[in-house]
Amino acid sequence: MVRAKKVLVWVLGAFAVYAIITAPTQAADIVHQVGQLLMQGFVNLGHFFDALLGNK
């Protein structure tokens, strides 16, 4: 099972490098969108805890 995990990590890493080399603009857009999604998730989590604790 550990060997399969290592192979999967290498395959995903190779795919990421291939995607960046062949389409850098699209790869940058994807990274930007994922960053925006994570940031919005943390903001929403903060709003949730504020509402839960009655800070609003």
Side-chain angles (χ1 to χ4, degrees):
M1 199 61 167
V2 174
R3 186 175 215 174
K5 186 177 178 181
K6 282 186 180 182
V7 169
L8 182 61
V9 168
W10 276 101
V11 168
L12 289 175
F15 177 73
V17 170
Y18 170 76
I20 291 169
I21 290 172
T22 59
T25 304
Q26 287 96 351
D29 287 340
I30 291 171
V31 169
H32 179 72
Q33 289 174 356
V34 168
Q36 290 292 325
L37 181 68
L38 289 173
M39 187 181 346
Q40 190 60 42
F42 282 117
V43 168
N44 289 340
L45 192 60
H47 289 301
F48 170 75
F49 281 110
D50 280 343
L52 187 66
L53 297 174
N55 292 336
K56 279 196 165 185

